[in-house]
Amino acid sequence: MPVTFRQIILIMPVLRSMLKVISLGLLLWGSWQCSPTASNLSEENFKNPPMEYRPLAYWDWLNGYIDTARMVYELEQMKEKGMQGAFIWDVGAMIDPEKMVPAGPAFLGKESLEYISLALKTASRLGLNLGLITSSSWNAGGPWIDTSDATKHLVSTRQRVSGPGLQKITINIPDSEGSTAENHSLITSIAIPYLESMVIDHSGSSVFYLDEFTEKESIIAWNVPAGEWEVHSFFMSNTMQNLFVPSPNSDGLLIDHMSKRATKVHFDTIIARLASTNAPLNSLKYLEVDSYELEILTDFTPGFIDEFNLRYGYDPVPFLPLFQGYTSSDSVVAKRFRGDYSRLVSDLIIENHFHQGTEITNANGMLLFAEGGHGGTSRVDPLKAMGQVDVPMGEFWNRQRHWVTKEASSAAHIYGNNIVASESLTGWQHWQHGPTDYKQLSDVAFCEGLNQVVFHTFAHNPAIAGKPGFAYHAGEHINVNATWWDMSRPFMDYLSRCSYMLRQGNAVSDVLLYYGDDAPNLVPPKRIDPNYTPDMPGIFPHWFNDKTKCPHCGIPKPIDPGRLPGYDYDYVNEDIISSTLQVEDGKLTLPHGQSYGVMMLPDRMDISLEVLKSLEKLIFNGAVVIGPKPERATSLKNFPACDREVEALADKLWGKCNGKTILSNQYGKGTVYWGKSLEQVLKERKISPDFEVLGIDNYHREIDYMHRQTATEDIYFVSNSSESEKHFTAVFRVDANKSPEIWDAETGLIQRQVEFTEVENGISMDFVMDPLASRIVVFRNGKKGKNDPGLRFDLQFGFHRAEKSAPSIDLTSDWNLAFDTRMGGPKQYLMKTLTSWTDIDVDGIKYYSGTATYTRDFTLEQSVLSNETEAFVVFEGVQNMARVFINGNDCGIVWTPPYRANITPYLKAGNNKIRVEVVNTWNNRIVGDLKNPNDTPYTNSNVKSSKFKANSPLLESGLLGQAEVIFILNQF
């Protein structure tokens, strides 16, 4: 029996899943995938996370210029500071007004490949993982792409003719932005009655097809009927869009992302060139395709008309004038055609670029990362696009609204990918912030589902660059030239521990939000950077406070579930609903173990017929669905019969439910709701909040969470993203037979003796959380064990219940400071009381950037030293990081509030010497250099003069406020 096209389409998700399992099993997948049916949780892996959980970075090779000695050094530093590795990124220096950055060789040319080979050999020696961004700049393309495989769009000409009578009509050549369109080829010509209103009646048959009268794509010999007619000729033309910011010797055309051949040529060329290097290809672990950012145009590709006919069953040609400014007499029909057009563009990009790119990457022993969402000018169903790749990527920015991590995590959760990556900490702050600020933003992203950090960026800096050195135009410049780089290991370990814990088992969500079948589409973030506020002139968009719109891009939200405090959710698309979703015991389930209590539909009167057919089966088997009764299909496929089918199915499912007087309908084992909020339905179904915050106003989600579940553990990541201390009660929806432990990602320590109360909906715990703090609460079976021997204070309450064993010693005054004279600081300075360097009327201190050393002595009585006493030095403020030494012994790096270090093991009776190395950021020294343009500058950077001014604000630096040594009775 022959297999039909529809049967192939229906079994594609199954085949895709099978192929993915087989291919990934052959890869270096290891613990990238965690089985949801068994616990892989390891205390040792938490304390010392394996390489695959550690941060990656975009390692930008600006202008392709490489200093091989520095390259090797940078890789060694990545390893030493606890990173996993990086993506090599050949890219142009987007800001370089003084042309400081030299031009290197062409990307993937002979010399470039030698550099990549050296990087791979070094990474292999160090045990690092390297990837490659698959173009110079971003998007896909390069000099190996000719016009036949380059981006194309639909262009047209039109002319008016009068009949009756035979005429030879010369087809006008299309223009593209004032010039002749490149490589244009005629697709078709049609004639429609001339209408001054430019309104087409698509219900009639007034369109004449002129292809049979066309000669050599230039002349139409047509017997024109009586009346005025407009002849429209449509062409496919190259856009001639080049790479956006390539290195100077690496320009090239962007590929046609809808073309299977173009994607294959692109990936095959890259892989073939890499294979020619001395290092084995399998030393490269990852490829990455970055955000899809093309100029707005009417996308087109060879065979598009035929493919449209095949998939949608009707001819799109009569509708093409809609791209020329015409409207339809039936706006709904026009919208449905545009939807079909956009869905086909989306599907072709997904199938031929993302899916095929993943197949080629996997076949060559690598994994594909992709920013397939709405971070750029996306054309796709972002969930489906990111569901086709190995690692879906979002992005989150510093002090900007650009946050799309929730989109990547939803894709990962519904498609069974365990890793959620994000281009992390992009922005234009340029050396103003450090790890404390980055932790705050990373914690917000962790609550959106992030579990693989990819720093944007780690710029390669040759020796000639100076400091802070060369930089791309955006990013937080997390590299060896950061002032605080030598103190970065605790920050890297923190991110790695969080990523390890947030990859265990499955994410727990109660709600599936169906966002419709539009393409492009979007998943709005739950939150964005909490520091991004309306008092930021010039960058705060007018639509930001409109709660109906995505805060990232300003496009109306496809579906709005409301605030939903205490519940998490994933977005879902037609692909998953119609091919993978099932119902078990009243829950919507996916094959990899993900499950949901209810599904919500968007507030619209149309719906995908395929989705509605699947909903009929799901609801009959016990699913709970919330949404209005649909009246028509979204597509013109099989129109108007498709609308009658929607009406019939909707009548079955919604019954007498009208959303006003009757608010639900039972169908089979399931229920449809219309007219009740999502939160009301959750309560009616007795689905209690997964994480409830009591005792404080948590309207802005300053206390937020992410919940992962294995076969034996519940793991909650709890974050306080505010800059104030929070006292609250948390209720966790877990089995009462489980006991909580607190795993501290900053230290790697585990507290097993935790206070909790069994309540009706789970387990209740009181917390006192420091500013910007986080805690990981692990619930598992078994008796309480002993706390880690290194645990010195209560992770649940901090110092707040600690009993002081002796009066504190004030260290606020009389510090001796030593600065690096090479950066303009004085050799010595006596600070009478702790204050910001910027408050001192000494230019060498006010404008200082780098590390300064604070020293002073203090005296202890023998009576305060005992086995029952713990001693901590606590600073009110640190800008930005500090390393504490007592009597020459390293007591660790202090980088998060309340800025404390345990100094107990190194104290002695009598005189003690404390030394604190404090580092700020580059900002102040850059401003100082600009303020004194006639002096020899201490700093050098290609972005300095374009981003900083002599009157730019200085940033607080050093130890601030009160400092003291406190003594408490040992808690454990």
Side-chain angles (χ1 to χ4, degrees), residues 648-849:
L649 279 171
D651 286 342
K652 287 173 63 177
L653 297 177
W654 272 260
K656 296 182 179 179
C657 177
N658 57 21
K660 295 177 181 178
T661 57
I662 301 174
L663 306 183
S664 66
N665 183 61
Q666 190 81 21
Y667 180 74
K669 297 179 182 178
T671 307
V672 176
Y673 290 89
W674 180 19
K676 290 189 176 183
S677 71
L678 177 53
E679 193 170 5
Q680 286 175 318
V681 173
L682 289 167
K683 289 180 179 178
E684 182 175 321
R685 308 296 299 190
K686 294 183 169 47
I687 302 174
S688 59
D690 185 28
F691 176 78
E692 196 169 5
V693 178
L694 306 175
I696 61 171
D697 179 3
N698 197 39
Y699 180 84
H700 295 292
R701 290 184 184 265
E702 291 175 317
I703 304 298
D704 206 352
Y705 82 106
M706 170 55 65
H707 181 188
R708 305 283 298 193
Q709 189 174 59
T710 73
T712 55
E713 297 107 356
D714 284 273
I715 300 167
Y716 286 83
F717 175 86
V718 181
S719 165
N720 173 21
S721 61
S722 75
E723 295 183 21
S724 60
E725 184 178 86
K726 296 293 184 182
H727 299 233
F728 63 95
T729 298
V731 178
F732 302 87
R733 190 184 66 200
V734 295
D735 293 339
N737 62 352
K738 292 185 176 180
S739 297
E741 301 172 346
I742 298 179
W743 295 36
D744 183 34
E746 286 187 45
T747 63
L749 300 177
I750 298 173
Q751 179 178 327
R752 293 181 174 84
Q753 298 177 34
V754 178
E755 291 188 10
F756 65 94
T757 303
E758 295 182 12
V759 295
E760 181 180 358
N761 295 325
I763 287 177
S764 170
M765 296 172 60
D766 294 331
F767 284 91
V768 176
M769 290 189 71
D770 296 317
L772 310 182
S774 65
R775 293 288 180 265
I776 297 173
V777 186
V778 178
F779 294 87
R780 51 183 178 177
N781 298 326
K783 298 179 180 179
K784 297 178 185 177
K786 292 183 178 180
N787 292 318
D788 276 341
L791 195 62
R792 301 302 182 191
F793 62 93
D794 195 325
L795 295 171
Q796 192 172 2
F797 300 103
F799 285 115
H800 292 269
R801 292 191 314 173
E803 181 180 346
K804 288 193 174 183
S805 60
S808 61
I809 298 174
D810 185 73
L811 299 180
T812 306
S813 60
D814 300 325
W815 289 85
N816 294 299
L817 273 64
F819 294 86
D820 185 349
T821 57
R822 294 170 299 177
M823 293 305 298
K827 188 173 182 180
Q828 297 290 333
Y829 180 82
L830 176 63
M831 183 174 280
K832 297 300 294 182
T833 187
L834 292 177
T835 188
S836 171
W837 302 345
T838 55
D839 293 334
I840 299 171
D841 194 22
V842 176
D843 281 2
I845 298 176
K846 179 181 293 186
Y847 301 120
Y848 183 79
S849 288

Side-chain angles (χ1 to χ4, degrees), residues 201-400:
D201 182 4
H202 282 111
S203 65
S205 57
S206 56
V207 173
F208 284 86
Y209 293 83
L210 305 178
D211 293 354
E212 64 178 298
F213 310 116
T214 303
E215 303 171 0
K216 299 180 181 179
E217 295 192 4
S218 60
I219 300 293
I220 301 173
W222 179 41
N223 193 3
V224 182
E228 295 278 313
W229 297 85
E230 276 208 337
V231 174
H232 297 259
S233 297
F234 297 93
F235 302 81
M236 180 174 65
S237 172
N238 279 113
T239 70
M240 304 309 291
Q241 289 191 47
N242 283 30
L243 296 168
F244 283 6
V245 195
S247 54
N249 294 308
S250 305
D251 205 358
L253 293 170
L254 300 180
I255 72 165
D256 177 356
H257 290 72
M258 292 189 286
S259 165
K260 185 170 186 176
R261 187 185 72 180
T263 292
K264 182 169 173 52
V265 166
H266 181 64
F267 276 85
D268 284 353
T269 301
I270 291 172
I271 289 168
R273 293 194 181 192
L274 289 170
S276 69
T277 64
N278 292 328
L281 180 59
N282 61 14
S283 293
L284 195 69
K285 302 300 190 294
Y286 318 124
L287 294 181
E288 196 263 4
V289 291
D290 209 69
S291 51
Y292 190 103
E293 299 181 30
L294 302 184
E295 297 172 10
I296 300 300
L297 43 80
T298 305
D299 300 282
F300 215 75
T301 194
F304 188 90
I305 298 292
D306 291 340
E307 197 66 35
F308 192 103
N309 272 292
L310 178 65
R311 299 196 188 201
Y312 290 98
Y314 70 95
D315 188 356
V317 169
F319 296 89
L320 294 184
L322 294 176
F323 295 125
Q324 295 179 305
Y326 280 80
T327 58
S328 174
S329 58
D330 188 332
S331 60
V332 173
V333 168
K335 179 182 177 182
R336 289 163 74 159
F337 163 72
R338 286 183 177 274
D340 289 340
Y341 163 81
S342 297
R343 280 184 283 271
L344 180 54
V345 170
S346 172
D347 285 342
L348 291 176
I349 293 172
I350 290 169
E351 294 164 17
N352 294 330
H353 184 62
F354 290 109
H355 180 68
Q356 185 188 200
T358 303
E359 288 184 324
I360 295 171
T361 303
N362 291 173
N364 287 277
M366 295 175 286
L367 304 176
L368 185 65
F369 284 60
E371 291 187 41
H374 82 290
T377 52
S378 175
R379 269 74 159 165
V380 297
D381 169 350
L383 295 176
K384 188 176 181 181
M386 290 192 284
Q388 307 306 304
V389 303
D390 298 309
V391 182
M393 289 189 69
E395 58 183 295
F396 66 96
W397 288 49
N398 182 13
R399 271 63 175 181
Q400 288 291 307

Side-chain angles (χ1 to χ4, degrees), residues 406 508-514 559 561 564 567-572 588 595-600 626 678-679 682 687:
K406 184 65 176 174
V508 175
S509 297
D510 290 301
V511 179
L512 268 180
L513 301 175
Y514 171 53
I559 181 171
L564 281 189
Y567 299 94
D568 207 350
Y569 52 84
D570 283 322
Y571 279 64
V572 69
L588 293 155
S595 67
Y596 306 87
V598 302
M599 182 193 295
M600 185 178 183
I626 307 163
L678 177 53
E679 193 170 5
L682 289 167
I687 302 174

